[in-house]
Amino acid sequence: MPTPIEKLKLGWIGTGRMGYEMAARLAKGGCDIAVWNRTKAKADPLAQYGARVVSDLKDLAARDIVFCMVSTWDDVKQVIGRLLAGSAKPRMVVECSSISLDGSAELRGILKEKGVEYLAAPVSGNAKVIKAGKLTFVVSGPRPAYEAARPYLDMMGTGSSYVGEGELARIAKICHNVMLGVVIQNLCEITILAQKVGMPRHAFLDFLNKSVMGSMFTRYKTPALVNLDFHVTFTPRLLRKDLDLGLDAGREFEVPMPVTSITRDILQQMIGQGMTEQDFSTLLLAQAKASGLDLKPENVQVTDGLSS
Amino acid sequence: MPTPIEKLKLGWIGTGRMGYEMAARLAKGGCDIAVWNRTKAKADPLAQYGARVVSDLKDLAARDIVFCMVSTWDDVKQVIGRLLAGSAKPRMVVECSSISLDGSAELRGILKEKGVEYLAAPVSGNAKVIKAGKLTFVVSGPRPAYEAARPYLDMMGTGSSYVGEGELARIAKICHNVMLGVVIQNLCEITILAQKVGMPRHAFLDFLNKSVMGSMFTRYKTPALVNLDFHVTFTPRLLRKDLDLGLDAGREFEVPMPVTSITRDILQQMIGQGMTEQDFSTLLLAQAKASGLDLKPENVQVTDGLSS
Amino acid sequence: MPTPIEKLKLGWIGTGRMGYEMAARLAKGGCDIAVWNRTKAKADPLAQYGARVVSDLKDLAARDIVFCMVSTWDDVKQVIGRLLAGSAKPRMVVECSSISLDGSAELRGILKEKGVEYLAAPVSGNAKVIKAGKLTFVVSGPRPAYEAARPYLDMMGTGSSYVGEGELARIAKICHNVMLGVVIQNLCEITILAQKVGMPRHAFLDFLNKSVMGSMFTRYKTPALVNLDFHVTFTPRLLRKDLDLGLDAGREFEVPMPVTSITRDILQQMIGQGMTEQDFSTLLLAQAKASGLDLKPENVQVTDGLSS
Amino acid sequence: MPTPIEKLKLGWIGTGRMGYEMAARLAKGGCDIAVWNRTKAKADPLAQYGARVVSDLKDLAARDIVFCMVSTWDDVKQVIGRLLAGSAKPRMVVECSSISLDGSAELRGILKEKGVEYLAAPVSGNAKVIKAGKLTFVVSGPRPAYEAARPYLDMMGTGSSYVGEGELARIAKICHNVMLGVVIQNLCEITILAQKVGMPRHAFLDFLNKSVMGSMFTRYKTPALVNLDFHVTFTPRLLRKDLDLGLDAGREFEVPMPVTSITRDILQQMIGQGMTEQDFSTLLLAQAKASGLDLKPENVQVTDGLSS
């Protein structure tokens, strides 16, 4: 039975686009939460929901659970180092950033030495998904730690899934991103086909999104595919990195992944052609080009399935 | 503005597993509906919802809109022939079966000659999806015909999408099934990888289903992937047929579809090994075998996302 | 035991770039050969080697074996029709053009009706290969007919292979062209890789051509790959047609062909980008583009392995 | 102008199946050659051709050029260590084993420190190819060193190709093996197709081998493909290793290699099914299985293109 959620003291590190929304949900939910961010001004608005914004990372060391949501493994290493620099230490750290398997394992070692429990808890979703209350977590580490943290994780979205010990959650997230890559490429193939046959993209995607094949992902990518707004949510090179991590795991565990391999190669073709600075969904443009089609925005208002 | 839905007289041909549930929704919704089925006994229970069950197909000829949901193009041709054998004829036929582009075009010709409007309206979903109220339609044909039929289509599930003139809806459905093939193969790749790395399949799929990548499809296939219950919903050969139709359209319209091609070839490898009589999701078994893994049912109760 | 080769009277239809060289080899070999070409002037120089150049196709009808090497199935049908328009008819027709399976079967029917034996005998090689004495034939039809024709086929190059009854030789030729497609794409992948790593293309290909992987094909394509001379020998669309015929046969006979499928899709990507008018080996340019490389001719004299 | 070949003193390390044949060709060619092998008895027969067989590796240290042809990088490191353990040292080491890029670079460092020149010179061919006089080398390192070694390299087969500085030859060899993998898989696809359509494998391959697509490789693999003799020449796992090295280079240099990727995945499928102990050409069996075909040896005598 987990401790009633109002009883645990929470710490939060990192209030970027995603971290801010996540911390806000905990604060609004009535949690006792203290927040730190490198640029404090970005965290300050959280005070309105009852969060305490601190200037010194060490002020989070005595919290029960400290969540970490920053950008890179280097950032994680640095903030955790400073968090634990004094004599106080939290019961548990829950690391939600997108870090590598190796980074996650190194962090586990660092925390173990200090006697701090550790959950790897990467997320599925972006800032808009969080705002819409639909974030999910995949979690690995000691099960009792998960049971303690679970109420807070679930409060941030629609739930969490526990997949086992160690860094398994990192692999699960890589698998998730592999699927994201394959599905976007497949969407590009069939959307361009539908268009060349005579359907407007928005009409075809309206059907697909309502159909059994539709997912939150296909829906929130629809505005990009219809109106060709390719501001970055995830770069082609970052997607390639995750596909390569998936393929590396496939090599190590001897799992052939042909559909993944081909998706990776098509992405590389696009990167090779210099399409690296916009969103990975420019795969649609590459697919159109390879199909002899000059793509135009349809300028039709379409929903992303998240906005209210 | 469509005629108020209680005013149009509906006819329904075909009460197999899917047709029955669809007709039932219209009857329960208060529509004036007359139903015919080759084996009348299968249609009889619809009377309890207010449907009139007829013995002679010609009794449907004077209805405003006649829906058709049978098995094959041969069936469609036969029932429509008998429907129009007399002097009466409906204003419109809405054909929902999975028939080919060519069949659909031939039917359009037959109906045009008789002055009957025609909508191609294949569906996304199976009997369970309909029962859960989540069926969707993709529709092509004259737009005014669609506007007239739309209230009834939408009453059967969560909505319909209009994609244009002629047989476009048939292509849209093929694209949908292409995606189904690619997504199941991708699911098999990452699920087997997750398992070999150390995650139970049900735990990994629980995460995926909750994540932004989760769809009605990934959810209702989860029991099969977890507990290896592969009773047929769609055979490997039928899936191959639709992948080939997609690839044929890709050839005709000069759209390269590499991810689709590879999925098709992997499916063919499975068919070649004699795995033809169970569900197409036995791709999981083929993937496990190719990964040196002996798969066991996990015997864990998992939801299909549809049952209440 | 075949009839001594000087005893049979040969007829030859078609003296385009390849047909001319083939007929020349028979004439130079001392055969009794009569030649017809739509534009007679193109055939006239064969007289210097002892061939008799005729103006009327019917003058070939009384020859023992009539070889046919024209451009398209329509041409074949027309010339054979005129050849057989009178009362005389040859013992055998040997058809060497690149015609389809269906065309070949139709021709077999036409000839059978007239009591004329028929060999399907497509070739491997181009005009340069013939000149270098390295043409080969793949032959199907009745074996005794093959034994009778064999000495003449072998005289035109380095030999012939008999693969069985009916139109099997047409399939063998399609398989040959499938391999040509896969090998050129693979060559492009590794040649661009070698170049990006730091090797001049001519140096890398010099090694490959000398190695156990080198073939007549890799050697005679080397000048194009090194110096980027892409005058047409075989268009991208014609290669695509043969890959599609191979994939169609794979479908019909349930043989998965993943490497072929992907090659086909990459070729389609190139065609979609408008690269259709030069040689199929512009796949190198497409591969370079997809690899972020701006290709330059190396302007190094390299051998095609054929010229003396 | 290279030193006349009879003037340089050669050393040879390693007389396994390939090394023996290579050293024999130099000895027979009249070179002044001293040979060492771990198991001296295996080297002894070389004395009949005029080679001096030594018991102590250090006896080779004062030779001008020392060739090294052993099994693994560990072996290379050990023998070179012992070769250079004393005060004498050769002018040059020519390393012909199949070692990795990293191993080759490490060796270059070791030798540079000692002031010994170094050529990376992997080979194309097997023991039978050497016996048939058809071995080739791909060489990288300082060009003057290559010019000095070239006469000896060329004496061992049909020639050598210089591709540049450093370890480039190692990459060239990897590219060569990538092609080997793609070509064998392609051969399997088309050979099984040809067979299912109705051609005996030996007849189809006879055509292919004679055609412009035929290579030494397709010819010497023909007996295996026809008569299903799969004694190991190169294991599936070793081929996979080289395909992975090729794909790794493709990642590093941003060259998409889709045909290579798919070949790699198909090979992994075969390995996953436990087919690891026989020759890599058992890909034919895997392809047959995936095509619903039960393969039988044809028991037809076919040439490997090498035996006299």
Side-chain angles (χ1 to χ4, degrees):
Chain A
M1 183 59 54
T3 313
I5 73 170
E6 67 278 11
K7 294 293 173 54
L8 290 185
K9 288 174 292 169
L10 308 182
W12 190 277
I13 301 174
T15 58
R17 288 202 324 136
M18 292 184 72
Y20 181 89
E21 297 294 341
M22 292 160 81
R25 291 189 76 87
L26 291 175
K28 289 176 192 171
C31 297
D32 175 355
I33 183 169
V35 178
W36 177 91
N37 192 55
R38 187 154 37 182
T39 308
K40 183 169 170 291
K42 285 194 184 166
D44 284 338
L46 289 168
Q48 67 186 304
Y49 308 123
R52 186 154 61 85
V53 182
V54 305
S55 310
D56 192 338
L57 248 177
K58 270 176 284 178
D59 291 348
L60 300 186
R63 312 300 291 179
D64 294 309
I65 304 181
V66 175
F67 294 87
C68 177
M69 185 68 177
V70 295
S71 289
T72 67
W73 165 232
D74 284 345
D75 295 330
V76 171
K77 219 167 155 177
Q78 194 181 53
V79 297
I80 298 297
R82 286 163 59 195
L83 175 76
L84 303 179
S87 55
K89 55 178 191 178
R91 168 179 159 196
M92 189 195 309
V93 165
V94 179
E95 211 302 300
C96 308
S97 319
S98 279
I99 63 173
S100 73
L101 207 61
D102 289 346
S104 192
E106 187 179 337
L107 180 57
R108 190 170 299 278
I110 292 168
L111 291 169
K112 192 171 189 178
E113 219 164 82
K114 301 271 184 178
V116 178
E117 287 186 304
Y118 169 53
L119 290 177
V123 303
S124 169
N126 55 30
K128 277 191 141 179
V129 170
I130 305 170
K131 240 181 188 157
K134 295 183 171 170
L135 193 72
T136 55
F137 294 86
V138 58
V139 190
S140 61
R143 182 175 275 272
Y146 169 63
E147 294 302 342
R150 185 176 188 170
Y152 306 101
L153 294 170
D154 291 358
M155 185 184 275
M156 282 186 267
T158 52
S160 57
S161 303
Y162 176 76
V163 291
E165 298 289 324
E167 317 321 320
L168 285 174
R170 305 292 178 187
I171 303 267
K173 177 66 189 288
I174 288 167
C175 289
H176 169 282
N177 282 5
V178 161
M179 185 172 182
L180 185 151
V182 170
V183 166
I184 191 72
Q185 169 58 22
N186 183 236
L187 268 181
C188 292
E189 292 182 4
I190 59 178
T191 301
I192 293 300
L193 176 60
Q195 176 172 354
K196 285 197 89 175
V197 174
M199 289 172 252
R201 294 191 298 278
H202 72 268
F204 172 69
L205 289 168
D206 179 66
F207 158 57
L208 210 70
N209 286 333
K210 282 178 186 157
S211 83
V212 301
M213 301 314 302
S215 64
M216 236 188 292
F217 175 71
T218 66
R219 283 184 280 271
Y220 73 58
K221 275 299 164 199
T222 292
L225 301 182
V226 169
N227 294 323
L228 312 186
D229 168 11
F230 295 115
H231 69 270
V232 174
T233 62
F234 193 47
T235 67
R237 284 204 181 93
L238 283 174
L239 176 55
R240 183 182 61 186
K241 195 193 72 178
D242 282 357
L243 288 169
D244 280 340
L245 289 172
L247 290 170
D248 286 343
R251 282 193 196 179
E252 186 181 345
F253 290 90
E254 300 210 301
V255 177
M257 301 177 75
V259 163
T260 308
S261 296
I262 284 304
T263 299
R264 192 263 175 222
D265 289 328
I266 296 165
L267 184 64
Q268 179 60 61
Q269 290 180 330
M270 181 178 86
I271 290 172
Q273 289 175 56
M275 297 167 69
T276 57
E277 303 311 305
Q278 289 183 289
D279 193 54
F280 68 93
S281 54
T282 50
L283 279 164
L284 189 81
L285 299 180
Q287 174 71 22
K289 211 169 145 190
S291 306
L293 195 66
D294 189 23
L295 231 46
K296 300 253 181 333
E298 292 187 346
N299 297 322
V300 171
Q301 186 115 22
V302 286
T303 177
D304 64 2
L306 297 173
S307 327
S308 47
Chain B
M1 181 59 55
T3 314
I5 74 169
E6 67 277 11
K7 293 292 173 57
L8 290 186
K9 287 174 292 168
L10 308 182
W12 191 276
I13 300 174
T15 58
R17 288 202 323 135
M18 294 184 70
Y20 181 89
E21 297 293 341
M22 292 160 81
R25 292 190 75 88
L26 291 175
K28 289 176 192 172
C31 296
D32 175 355
I33 183 169
V35 178
W36 178 91
N37 192 55
R38 186 156 35 183
T39 309
K40 184 168 171 290
K42 285 194 184 165
D44 285 337
L46 290 168
Q48 66 186 302
Y49 308 123
R52 187 154 59 86
V53 182
V54 304
S55 310
D56 191 338
L57 248 177
K58 271 178 280 179
D59 291 349
L60 301 187
R63 311 300 292 179
D64 294 309
I65 305 181
V66 175
F67 293 88
C68 178
M69 184 68 175
V70 294
S71 289
T72 66
W73 165 232
D74 283 344
D75 295 331
V76 171
K77 221 168 153 175
Q78 194 182 51
V79 295
I80 298 296
R82 286 163 58 194
L83 176 74
L84 304 178
S87 56
K89 55 177 192 179
R91 169 179 161 197
M92 187 193 311
V93 164
V94 179
E95 211 302 300
C96 307
S97 320
S98 278
I99 64 173
S100 73
L101 207 58
D102 289 347
S104 193
E106 187 179 336
L107 179 58
R108 190 170 300 278
I110 292 168
L111 292 169
K112 194 172 186 178
E113 220 164 83
K114 300 271 186 178
V116 179
E117 287 186 303
Y118 169 53
L119 291 177
V123 303
S124 169
N126 54 30
K128 275 189 143 182
V129 170
I130 304 170
K131 239 180 189 158
K134 294 182 171 169
L135 192 73
T136 55
F137 294 85
V138 58
V139 189
S140 61
R143 184 176 272 275
Y146 170 63
E147 293 303 342
R150 185 175 189 170
Y152 306 101
L153 294 170
D154 291 359
M155 184 183 275
M156 282 185 268
T158 53
S160 58
S161 304
Y162 177 75
V163 292
E165 297 290 324
E167 317 323 319
L168 285 174
R170 305 292 178 188
I171 303 268
K173 177 66 189 290
I174 289 167
C175 288
H176 169 281
N177 282 5
V178 161
M179 184 172 184
L180 184 152
V182 171
V183 166
I184 191 71
Q185 170 57 22
N186 184 235
L187 268 181
C188 292
E189 292 183 4
I190 60 178
T191 300
I192 293 298
L193 177 59
Q195 174 172 354
K196 285 197 89 174
V197 175
M199 289 173 251
R201 294 191 299 276
H202 72 268
F204 172 68
L205 290 169
D206 179 66
F207 159 56
L208 209 71
N209 286 334
K210 283 178 185 156
S211 84
V212 301
M213 302 313 301
S215 63
M216 235 188 292
F217 175 71
T218 65
R219 283 185 280 272
Y220 73 58
K221 274 299 163 200
T222 292
L225 301 181
V226 169
N227 294 323
L228 312 187
D229 169 10
F230 295 116
H231 69 271
V232 175
T233 63
F234 194 46
T235 66
R237 285 205 182 93
L238 283 174
L239 176 56
R240 183 182 64 185
K241 194 193 72 179
D242 281 357
L243 288 169
D244 281 340
L245 289 172
L247 291 169
D248 286 343
R251 283 192 195 178
E252 185 181 345
F253 289 91
E254 301 209 301
V255 176
M257 301 178 76
V259 163
T260 308
S261 297
I262 284 305
T263 299
R264 192 263 176 222
D265 289 327
I266 296 165
L267 184 64
Q268 179 61 61
Q269 289 180 330
M270 181 177 85
I271 290 172
Q273 290 175 56
M275 299 167 70
T276 56
E277 303 310 306
Q278 290 184 287
D279 194 54
F280 68 93
S281 55
T282 49
L283 280 164
L284 188 81
L285 299 180
Q287 174 70 22
K289 211 169 144 190
S291 305
L293 196 65
D294 188 23
L295 230 47
K296 300 253 180 336
E298 292 187 345
N299 296 324
V300 171
Q301 187 115 20
V302 287
T303 177
D304 65 2
L306 295 174
S307 325
S308 48
Chain C
M1 183 58 55
T3 312
I5 72 170
E6 67 278 13
K7 295 292 174 57
L8 290 185
K9 287 174 290 167
L10 308 182
W12 191 275
I13 300 174
T15 58
R17 288 202 323 136
M18 293 184 71
Y20 181 88
E21 298 293 342
M22 291 159 82
R25 291 189 76 88
L26 290 175
K28 288 178 193 172
C31 296
D32 175 355
I33 182 168
V35 178
W36 177 91
N37 192 55
R38 187 154 38 183
T39 308
K40 184 167 170 291
K42 285 193 184 166
D44 284 338
L46 289 168
Q48 66 186 304
Y49 308 124
R52 186 156 60 87
V53 182
V54 304
S55 309
D56 192 339
L57 249 176
K58 271 177 282 177
D59 290 348
L60 300 186
R63 312 300 291 179
D64 294 308
I65 304 182
V66 174
F67 294 87
C68 176
M69 184 69 176
V70 295
S71 288
T72 66
W73 165 232
D74 284 345
D75 295 330
V76 171
K77 219 167 154 175
Q78 196 182 50
V79 296
I80 298 296
R82 286 163 58 196
L83 176 75
L84 303 180
S87 55
K89 56 180 189 176
R91 168 180 160 195
M92 189 194 309
V93 164
V94 179
E95 211 302 301
C96 307
S97 319
S98 278
I99 64 173
S100 73
L101 207 60
D102 290 347
S104 193
E106 188 179 335
L107 180 57
R108 190 171 299 277
I110 292 168
L111 291 169
K112 193 172 188 177
E113 220 164 82
K114 300 271 186 179
V116 178
E117 287 185 303
Y118 168 53
L119 291 176
V123 302
S124 169
N126 54 31
K128 275 190 143 180
V129 170
I130 305 171
K131 240 181 188 158
K134 295 182 170 169
L135 192 72
T136 55
F137 293 85
V138 57
V139 189
S140 61
R143 183 175 275 271
Y146 169 63
E147 294 302 342
R150 187 175 188 171
Y152 306 101
L153 295 170
D154 291 359
M155 185 184 274
M156 283 185 267
T158 52
S160 58
S161 303
Y162 177 77
V163 292
E165 297 290 324
E167 317 321 318
L168 286 174
R170 305 294 177 185
I171 303 266
K173 177 67 188 289
I174 288 167
C175 288
H176 169 282
N177 282 4
V178 161
M179 185 171 183
L180 185 152
V182 170
V183 166
I184 191 72
Q185 170 57 21
N186 183 236
L187 267 182
C188 292
E189 293 183 4
I190 59 179
T191 300
I192 292 299
L193 177 59
Q195 175 173 354
K196 285 197 89 175
V197 174
M199 288 172 252
R201 293 192 298 278
H202 71 268
F204 172 68
L205 289 169
D206 179 65
F207 159 56
L208 210 70
N209 286 335
K210 283 179 186 156
S211 84
V212 301
M213 302 313 302
S215 64
M216 236 189 291
F217 175 71
T218 67
R219 283 185 280 272
Y220 73 59
K221 274 299 164 199
T222 292
L225 301 181
V226 169
N227 295 322
L228 312 186
D229 168 10
F230 295 115
H231 68 272
V232 174
T233 63
F234 194 47
T235 68
R237 285 205 182 94
L238 283 175
L239 177 56
R240 183 182 63 187
K241 195 193 71 179
D242 282 356
L243 288 168
D244 281 341
L245 289 173
L247 290 169
D248 286 344
R251 282 192 195 179
E252 186 181 346
F253 289 91
E254 301 211 300
V255 176
M257 301 177 75
V259 163
T260 307
S261 296
I262 284 304
T263 299
R264 192 263 176 221
D265 289 328
I266 296 164
L267 183 65
Q268 179 61 61
Q269 289 180 331
M270 180 177 87
I271 289 172
Q273 290 175 56
M275 298 167 71
T276 56
E277 303 310 306
Q278 289 182 287
D279 193 55
F280 68 92
S281 54
T282 51
L283 280 163
L284 189 82
L285 299 179
Q287 174 70 21
K289 210 169 147 191
S291 305
L293 195 66
D294 189 23
L295 230 46
K296 301 253 182 329
E298 291 187 347
N299 296 323
V300 171
Q301 186 116 20
V302 286
T303 177
D304 63 3
L306 295 174
S307 326
S308 47
Chain D
M1 183 60 52
T3 313
I5 73 169
E6 67 277 13
K7 292 293 173 54
L8 290 185
K9 286 173 294 168
L10 308 182
W12 191 275
I13 300 174
T15 57
R17 289 203 322 137
M18 293 184 71
Y20 181 89
E21 298 293 341
M22 292 160 81
R25 292 190 75 88
L26 291 175
K28 288 177 192 171
C31 296
D32 175 355
I33 183 169
V35 178
W36 177 91
N37 192 56
R38 188 156 34 184
T39 308
K40 184 168 169 293
K42 285 193 185 166
D44 285 338
L46 290 168
Q48 65 187 304
Y49 309 123
R52 188 155 58 86
V53 182
V54 304
S55 309
D56 191 340
L57 248 175
K58 270 178 282 180
D59 290 349
L60 300 187
R63 312 299 292 179
D64 294 308
I65 305 181
V66 174
F67 294 87
C68 177
M69 185 68 175
V70 294
S71 288
T72 67
W73 165 232
D74 283 346
D75 295 331
V76 170
K77 220 168 154 175
Q78 195 182 51
V79 295
I80 298 296
R82 285 163 60 195
L83 176 75
L84 302 178
S87 56
K89 54 179 192 178
R91 168 179 160 197
M92 188 194 311
V93 165
V94 179
E95 212 302 300
C96 308
S97 320
S98 277
I99 64 174
S100 73
L101 207 59
D102 289 347
S104 193
E106 188 180 334
L107 179 59
R108 190 170 299 278
I110 291 168
L111 291 170
K112 193 173 189 176
E113 220 165 81
K114 300 272 185 177
V116 179
E117 287 185 303
Y118 169 52
L119 291 177
V123 302
S124 169
N126 54 30
K128 275 190 143 180
V129 171
I130 305 171
K131 240 180 189 158
K134 295 183 170 169
L135 193 73
T136 55
F137 294 85
V138 57
V139 189
S140 61
R143 184 176 273 274
Y146 169 63
E147 294 302 342
R150 185 176 188 170
Y152 305 101
L153 294 170
D154 291 359
M155 184 184 277
M156 281 185 268
T158 53
S160 58
S161 303
Y162 177 76
V163 292
E165 298 288 324
E167 316 322 319
L168 286 173
R170 304 294 178 186
I171 304 267
K173 177 66 189 290
I174 289 166
C175 288
H176 169 281
N177 282 4
V178 161
M179 185 172 183
L180 184 151
V182 170
V183 166
I184 191 71
Q185 170 57 23
N186 184 235
L187 268 182
C188 292
E189 293 183 4
I190 59 178
T191 300
I192 293 299
L193 177 59
Q195 175 173 355
K196 284 197 90 174
V197 175
M199 288 172 252
R201 294 192 299 278
H202 72 268
F204 173 68
L205 290 169
D206 178 66
F207 159 56
L208 210 71
N209 286 334
K210 283 179 186 156
S211 83
V212 301
M213 301 313 301
S215 63
M216 235 187 294
F217 175 71
T218 65
R219 282 184 281 271
Y220 73 59
K221 274 299 164 199
T222 292
L225 301 181
V226 169
N227 293 324
L228 312 186
D229 168 10
F230 296 115
H231 69 272
V232 175
T233 62
F234 194 46
T235 68
R237 284 204 182 93
L238 284 175
L239 176 57
R240 182 182 64 186
K241 195 193 71 179
D242 281 357
L243 288 168
D244 280 342
L245 289 172
L247 290 169
D248 286 343
R251 283 193 195 179
E252 185 181 346
F253 289 91
E254 301 209 302
V255 176
M257 301 177 75
V259 164
T260 308
S261 297
I262 284 305
T263 299
R264 192 263 176 222
D265 289 328
I266 296 164
L267 184 64
Q268 179 62 62
Q269 290 180 331
M270 180 178 86
I271 290 172
Q273 289 174 56
M275 298 166 70
T276 56
E277 304 310 306
Q278 289 183 288
D279 194 54
F280 67 94
S281 54
T282 50
L283 280 164
L284 188 81
L285 299 180
Q287 174 70 22
K289 210 169 145 190
S291 306
L293 195 65
D294 188 23
L295 230 47
K296 300 254 181 333
E298 292 186 345
N299 296 323
V300 172
Q301 187 115 19
V302 286
T303 176
D304 64 3
L306 296 174
S307 324
S308 45

